[in-house]
Amino acid sequence: MPVDVVLPCLDEAEALPWVLERIPAGWRAIVVDNGSTDGSAEIARELGAQVVHEARRGFGAACHAGLTAATSDVVCFCDCDASLDPSLLPRVAEPVLAGRADLVLGRRRPVSRRAWPLHARVANWELARLTRRRTGVRLHDLGPMRAARRESLLALDLTDRRSGYPLQMVVRAADAGWRVTETDVPYRPRSGRSKVTGTWRGTWQAVRDMRAVLAEPPAGSRVQTAGVRGGGR
């Protein structure tokens, strides 16, 4: 089954060739350019990817623009900085394609200390703990590599357009009774400097965005469950 892969992109010209050559055969890469100034969009287009331009800055804005542009039944998300290998996406998507899960997250397993700065790792541990407490779903990581069905994701009516987007996806999916699971994926040192976790300030802003998501009341009637297989967790 063909799958669309959403790749949010901001100045990732160095990483794009490595990333795009690892997209699984028959799957479509959707590179969402979020205001790059290094020619990322042109490189992606030359390498055969569909390029979507999102003028509004923000990780969530880029992800949602890619989700809106996708047409396949199942959609994957993956960072575009070469820290995650897109060739492993079939492992992440398989439980969704087989109907055993509704949302699968790639649990990052760093291959070296340099792959995941200590401050970012600590922030992730804390957010995973708070997410478990908020949703009851036992997660260890809020990693950016993930898979779910497109129409079901759109029905969650995600509103965050910054760093809280991945967390809001998990929280609202849990509120809707989705089956949320994890699978291990290796995590490598990224190409270039992170726009978020590369600094304490960026990490703190991401934590603030995510705390705001956790403070939202349960979605209730706001969340739709159309197209989701299975019931409660």
Side-chain angles (χ1 to χ4, degrees):
M1 181 182 296
V3 173
D4 286 336
V5 182
V6 175
L7 299 159
C9 177
L10 176 59
D11 293 331
E12 301 291 2
E14 180 181 347
L16 272 168
W18 186 92
V19 170
L20 291 177
E21 73 179 8
R22 284 164 173 76
I23 297 295
W27 292 22
R28 179 174 61 156
I30 302 177
V31 174
V32 184
D33 183 63
N34 202 207
S36 299
T37 59
D38 65 349
S40 288
E42 291 75 14
I43 292 172
R45 193 174 290 109
E46 290 173 1
L47 292 173
Q50 176 180 342
V51 176
V52 174
H53 294 278
E54 174 54 56
R56 181 177 177 180
R57 284 292 183 92
F59 182 76
C63 287
H64 204 71
L67 175 61
T68 302
T71 58
S72 64
D73 181 34
V74 172
V75 176
C76 289
F77 296 83
C78 185
D79 275 356
C80 202
D81 57 12
S83 62
L84 295 164
D85 187 346
S87 70
L88 300 177
L89 282 169
R91 178 196 304 179
V92 178
E94 193 276 334
V96 177
L97 290 167
R100 298 194 308 274
D102 302 310
L103 174 62
V104 180
L105 309 180
R107 181 183 181 183
R108 292 170 288 184
R109 295 293 197 175
V111 301
S112 69
R113 291 184 179 181
R114 192 165 64 89
W116 207 350
L118 179 60
H119 63 276
R121 196 179 307 191
V122 170
N124 184 74
W125 286 339
E126 175 64 9
L127 286 167
R129 183 186 70 81
L130 293 173
T131 302
R132 290 194 298 269
R133 187 171 70 180
R134 162 65 175 78
T135 65
V137 177
R138 296 198 60 80
L139 294 177
H140 302 85
D141 185 19
L142 296 170
M145 181 180 274
R146 50 187 62 193
R149 295 191 180 275
R150 179 179 58 86
E151 291 187 4
S152 300
L153 284 172
L154 290 170
L156 291 178
D157 191 25
L158 302 176
T159 56
D160 190 285
R161 294 296 180 264
R162 299 199 305 184
S163 301
Y165 186 88
L167 175 60
Q168 190 179 56
M169 183 186 296
V170 173
V171 170
R172 293 198 176 183
D175 285 349
W178 289 25
R179 297 163 296 173
V180 182
T181 63
E182 292 179 315
T183 187
D184 290 353
V185 292
Y187 192 48
R188 300 173 172 80
R190 62 156 289 143
S191 174
R193 186 181 183 186
S194 172
K195 288 78 175 175
V196 178
T197 59
T199 66
W200 280 97
R201 181 178 181 180
T203 301
W204 174 242
Q205 181 61 60
V207 170
R208 287 185 61 189
D209 290 345
M210 293 184 185
R211 282 187 178 275
V213 170
L214 289 170
E216 293 180 356
S221 60
R222 185 180 65 229
V223 174
Q224 304 295 317
T225 58
V228 175
R229 300 178 183 179
R233 294 183 295 278

